[in-house]
Amino acid sequence: MKNPIIRLDVPASPEFFPVARAMTEKSSTALGLGQKESMRVGMATEEIFMYLCRTSPGQELSIRSSWGGSCVNIEFGFSARHFPLHSFNLTSRVDISDEQGLDEVGLLIASRMVDRFSVETGGDDKITLILTKEKNYEKAKADSRERPKPSDSFTVRTPEPEEAFFLAESVAAVYPPEEVPRVFAHPGMLADMLRHGQSCALIAVSQGGEILGGIEWEWTAGAKTAQCLGPYILTEEADSALCEGLLNGCLESLAKLPVLGLLNRRPNHDLPVHYFELIGELPITGLDGALRSIPHYFRQMHEDPGSSVWADERLEPFLKEEYGLLALPRKILKSGLTESHAAQPSVLFAKIDRSRKTATLWPVSRGKDVRENLAAHIAALGPESTGGVYFSLDLGRPWQAEWISPVMDAGFVPRLVMPYAGHGDIVLFSL
C-alpha cells in the first residue's frame, strides 16, 4: 500500500481544535506510532493550533499527516508575519510576565513533544512547519549467536522485512557498539524503513539459505547523493568477495537513478575503502575517553556537472583546497553581507546522538542574535555531547553563509565537504 497522507483544512478557531488534535493523534496511531507517542503529537498540535487561534484568528490552516518510514511527520501550513520560530530552539526560554511570553509557552511545550522539526518559508509570509515524532523501537537483543561459516558461493538479493530484522539483530550482536548505527541497533526500524520504501538493502545469502551479510542505503527522490551503511559481514572470517559483492549490488541499483555520488559516514572495518575517496575525518571522543577520527568516504558515480556554492572570505581558502583535492568544479559566491538584517531571533536545530554522546547543530533560520544563540546552544549541549559538537552548513543556501564567521569565531574548525549532501554541498565543522 502506498504511504497514505491524511489532510485537514480548517480555520484557526477554538471550536475546531478538538478536530485538529484528534486528526493528528488518531492518524499517528493509524500510521504506526504507539499510544503515548501519538498523544504527544496530539498535544503538540493543540499547542500550535491554539497559538494560531490567539494570534491569527480565523486564518486557514492546512494540516498533513504522513508516515516517514520510522516516524510520523505532521505539516502545518499557514501564514504568519512574525511566527516565533525561536521557541523551537533547544535553549528557548519564555518570559511569562508578559502576554507575548504566555502565548509562546504553548509553542515551547509543542517543541518538546516531538523529536525534531524543520521549516520551509515561501512568499506572502507562508510557513510550513514540519514536526517529526519517531516511533519507539526496541533495541536489538544482546545475544551471542553462532556466526555462519564463509561460503564460496552466495547470491545477493533484496531482503524480506523479516530477513532485514534478522540482519540488523546479527549486526548488533557481531560488531562493536560504536560501529552499529541506530537503524541497525533497532532492527524494527530497518524492517519498517524497507517496508515503506524509505531505504533499500541487499543481503548476501549462501546456497543453504544463511544470511552472510548485508548493506543498507538511503536516497531521497531529487537528491544527488545517496548514503550507505555497510557492508556488514556476519561470517566467522573476513570475506572481501562478500563485501565487494554487496557493495557492487548497491552501486548497480543506484546506477539506475540520477545519483551523482555515494557517501559513507559510518565506515566499519569491512568497508572496501578502495571503492571510495577519503573526503576527510571528524574527531570524536569515544566513551572510553580516547580521541579518534571518523573517516568519511565518497564515491563519484557520474561526471559532476559543477555548481555554485555560497561562502565567505574566511571559508574560501578551505573550500578551494578541498575542491582542488576532490577535483570538483565549483564556483564560490560571496554575498557580501557581514551580518543579518533579520528582525527575528535565529533558530538552530540540535540533533543529539546519545549512543556516541555527540551533537550536531543545523541552522534553521537566520536572525538578529546568531552569536548569542550559538553560544547558548554550545553551553547547553556541553554535558550531553562529550563525544563532540559539530556544525552542519549547507553551501547551497545563500543565507546560511551568514553563520560562517560566528561559527568559526566560536571555535569550530571546518573538517570536510560532503558533495551534494543537502540543497548543495555540506561543510561539517567540529568544535
Side-chain angles (χ1 to χ4, degrees):
M1 180 178 67
K2 186 178 178 181
N3 291 336
I5 298 176
I6 300 94
R7 305 168 189 268
L8 174 67
D9 292 317
V10 64
S13 187
E15 63 268 29
F16 290 107
F17 109 76
V19 180
R21 173 167 177 160
M23 177 273 199
T24 57
E25 187 171 329
K26 299 296 183 185
S27 64
S28 295
T29 302
L31 289 169
L33 291 191
Q35 186 177 3
K36 288 184 179 178
E37 301 147 348
S38 298
M39 188 179 298
R40 293 173 74 85
V41 171
M43 292 170 67
T45 300
E46 178 179 333
E47 298 298 346
I48 292 172
F49 192 90
M50 293 308 293
Y51 175 84
L52 293 173
C53 287
R54 290 191 293 272
T55 58
S56 306
Q59 77 155 291
E60 286 297 316
L61 173 63
S62 171
I63 306 175
R64 288 161 39 109
S65 178
S66 61
W67 182 243
S70 59
C71 59
V72 163
N73 295 314
I74 307 292
E75 293 184 24
F76 300 88
F78 53 90
S79 297
R81 183 173 295 273
H82 298 303
F83 187 78
L85 285 173
H86 60 273
S87 298
F88 288 80
N89 276 320
L90 175 71
T91 57
S92 181
R93 300 287 186 272
V94 295
D95 181 358
I96 59 174
S97 63
D98 62 34
E99 187 173 344
Q100 183 180 351
L102 287 172
D103 278 340
E104 294 176 9
V105 167
L107 298 181
L108 188 65
I109 294 172
S111 71
R112 303 311 190 252
M113 292 292 109
V114 296
D115 295 303
R116 59 180 183 271
F117 70 96
S118 60
V119 179
E120 297 171 4
T121 57
D124 300 327
D125 300 320
K126 295 287 186 184
I127 292 177
T128 301
L129 175 63
I130 305 169
L131 304 184
T132 299
K133 186 64 184 174
E134 296 277 357
K135 182 177 178 179
N136 186 25
Y137 291 96
E138 289 188 10
K139 282 190 173 181
K141 296 176 182 175
D143 60 17
S144 55
R145 62 186 59 189
E146 185 178 352
R147 301 179 68 168
K149 298 185 181 305
S151 174
D152 294 333
S153 178
F154 61 86
T155 57
V156 174
R157 62 170 173 80
T158 302
E160 298 292 332
E162 293 79 6
E163 293 174 317
F165 190 99
F166 180 88
L167 170 68
E169 270 197 329
S170 301
V171 168
V174 167
Y175 281 79
E178 62 271 18
E179 291 188 4
V180 181
R182 183 165 174 257
V183 69
F184 281 85
H186 301 81
M189 176 183 287
L190 178 61
D192 267 359
M193 291 179 68
L194 296 181
R195 186 182 292 115
H196 294 280
Q198 298 299 315
S199 72
C200 299
L202 290 172
I203 54 173
V205 184
S206 71
Q207 287 186 329
E210 279 191 297
I211 297 177
L212 307 175
I215 187 171
E216 185 263 2
W217 67 94
E218 295 179 29
W219 175 74
T220 305
K224 294 180 179 177
T225 295
Q227 296 196 38
C228 72
L229 294 170
Y232 297 99
I233 303 304
L234 306 179
T235 54
E236 292 176 342
E237 301 169 10
D239 190 331
S240 59
L242 205 57
C243 294
E244 294 184 3
L246 287 163
L247 189 53
N248 284 333
C250 168
L251 294 171
E252 288 169 9
S253 296
L254 289 171
K256 304 169 187 173
L257 303 171
V259 176
L260 292 179
L262 177 64
L263 270 171
N264 190 308
R265 302 180 57 192
R266 293 286 297 262
N268 62 65
H269 58 268
D270 287 315
L271 178 70
V273 294
H274 57 281
Y275 276 61
F276 296 85
E277 286 184 82
L278 178 67
I279 57 174
E281 298 182 336
L282 273 190
I284 182 172
T285 302
L287 300 180
D288 58 359
L291 183 63
R292 300 182 177 87
S293 293
I294 301 176
H296 284 47
Y297 293 99
F298 179 75
R299 179 187 172 98
Q300 187 168 317
M301 300 184 62
H302 297 287
E303 184 178 355
D304 191 325
S307 65
S308 297
V309 297
W310 290 87
D312 68 2
E313 292 180 351
R314 293 182 68 180
L315 191 60
E316 186 177 19
F318 170 80
L319 293 179
K320 283 185 173 178
E321 182 176 355
E322 291 296 301
Y323 288 139
L325 290 172
L326 298 173
L328 295 177
R330 295 290 187 271
K331 184 175 183 179
I332 301 175
L333 305 176
K334 289 169 283 188
S335 71
L337 284 177
T338 56
E339 60 183 65
S340 175
H341 297 282
Q344 296 295 309
S346 59
V347 183
L348 283 170
F349 169 64
K351 182 177 182 180
I352 299 172
D353 182 343
R354 290 191 167 80
S355 67
R356 299 199 294 178
K357 290 190 174 297
T358 62
T360 303
L361 294 169
W362 276 277
V364 178
S365 73
R366 70 182 85 195
K368 60 184 180 182
D369 62 344
V370 166
R371 293 177 186 275
E372 295 83 354
N373 192 17
L374 183 59
H377 274 79
I378 293 171
L381 289 170
E384 291 194 77
S385 54
T386 54
V389 179
Y390 311 109
F391 196 95
S392 177
L393 194 87
D394 192 334
L395 301 179
R397 299 187 182 278
W399 63 268
Q400 292 198 14
E402 295 179 20
W403 284 84
I404 295 173
S405 279
V407 164
M408 296 181 75
D409 285 344
F412 285 91
V413 177
R415 297 294 184 181
L416 57 94
V417 177
M418 299 189 293
Y420 298 117
H423 193 71
D425 299 342
I426 283 185
V427 178
L428 280 181
F429 298 75
S430 71
L431 187 61

